[in-house]
Amino acid sequence: MLGGAVAGAGMLMIGRSHAASGVRPAGRQPWWKEAVIYEIYPRSFRDSNGDGIGDLPGILEKLPYIRDLGVDTIWLAPIFQSPNRDNGYDISDYRAIMPEFGTMDDFDRLMAKASSLGLRIILDLVVNHTSDQHPWFQKSRAAKDSPYRDYYIWRDTPQGHPPNNWPSVWGGSAWASDPATGSSYLHLFSPQQPDLNWDNPAVREEVFSIMKFWLDKGVAGFRMDVITMISKIPSFRDMTPEELKAPEYVYAAGPHLHAYLREMNDRVLSHYDVMTVGEAYGMRARDIPLFTDSARRELDMVFAFDIVHVDRQGWRKIDWPLSKLKQVYAAAGKPRSPDSWNTVFLDNHDQPRAVSRFGNDSPPFREASAKAIATMLLTQCGTPFIYQGEELGMTNLPFSGVEDFDDVQVPIQWEARVKRQGVDPDAFLESLKDMGRDNARSPMQWDATRNAGFTTANRPWFRVNPNYTEINAQACMQDPNSVYHYFQALLALRRKYPALIHGTYQDLDPDHHAVFLYARELGRSRLLILMNMSDRGFTYESSSLTRASLLISNMQHRGATQGVTWLEPWEARIYRA
Ligand code: NOJ
Ligand code: CA
């Protein structure tokens, strides 16, 4: 069988056509429902010129690798000019490429090459805030009567006191007092990321024009950074103590959010065949259709945060039962509105590595659990997002102290939580090690040569995970049973069975503490997905498995007899029922 042992030679014949098997739903579906998206964090992907920083020519060089995995769309985390306070999520020129990453010619070459390989590219639209180095902000801060003053959110208060008790989402006040005029500006993230004032129509015009600039270059859409926060609640009232525990819900409750997204859709998006995925930070699952129901003409998909909250409360990592994870997927599997579509993701540049988080990254279990988690990722309801290195089973990075972190969020949180709120430093550090964003940002592990083949520089911009000698793309390519090849086989299976994309979802054993078993069904095509999400093997019985025939597994094994089967630790299988 694919990616594990060989089940039947026929399985190796899977092509790119959806028509191969199963039922094709009537009518033409938008391309992004059937897409699989691969996120690149350019800084850490591949350095082509030996300066220790990943770049666009490096990405171009690796496009065949991405295409061969079987994905069709690439999301590039920000590539625009930026002082890199937050690695590109602080933009100082939306129409220029970050010089470390290359030139506009490099970008055009990347687009052309991607297109010749059948790959689409989407960009990161970061327009809740800019960098404080953006000329708009420079002019805005210079004088109260500047035409750019109202591009940002300024308040005057006695002695520069913060205008209200709003915290930045990383800690500390969300207001910075600015010496030039003595007023304070709002920044929901770092002080170097001032929030734009979307209530000013000129700001919206600027954003729409930036979007058109890139769409006219042929990009296939946008991932929209914290798009839920663009409309601020007009009263700017203080938050209650309860609200202060999760301020993102107040920041996402602005009254004009949906009107602005509709305007963006009318003015820009509706004129192109592109996709949008909004980062729905601070949004409750029940509100998701307000963005994604196609009749509302706002966004196509959002990243909901339910999955991120399975094992996390505030900054703290918490224990989680498997049932909690199952509930997230069961809720997502119920159609939320007549025409609303999900995303499925575990890894991205803000999250720890999925295998370390939901699997077990210690040697006897790493590969099996990475494959089991991949089985889940690629068979749930929605468009899947894979993050660079996930297809290799890359793991969290070892950290010894707070000084090992590069992430701008870390010193801000440390100051706010440990120094001001008195959180225990050891407990905070332990959570950071498990949950810190830097876990995802170490350089991509290409091979076993120095610096994992990421760069020829003596020092890459950020530490390489020392396990690169063992976990790397080259080793995966050479091993037919590697995590990479298993991803490849799963992606081929998705293309062959539309039930995995368009099918209904049913959890067949919601209460089992270690087994995750569910069905995806479309017309007469019914697939069963079975995973042992634990370090222990055991016998498992389910009548659903009685007449099922095995399509893929991450283990060499026998299948189910009379619905009874032995499951190895982290064993995963997909059956046709
Ligand atoms: C969400 C991005 O994914 C994250 O990396 C960034 O720090 C914040 N938004 C602020 O832009
Ligand atoms: Ca470089």
Side-chain angles (χ1 to χ4, degrees), residues 46-55 100-101 455:
R46 164 79 184 135
D47 172 23
S48 71
N49 62 351
D51 66 355
I53 300 173
D55 46 51
E100 291 99 313
F101 289 177
T455 179

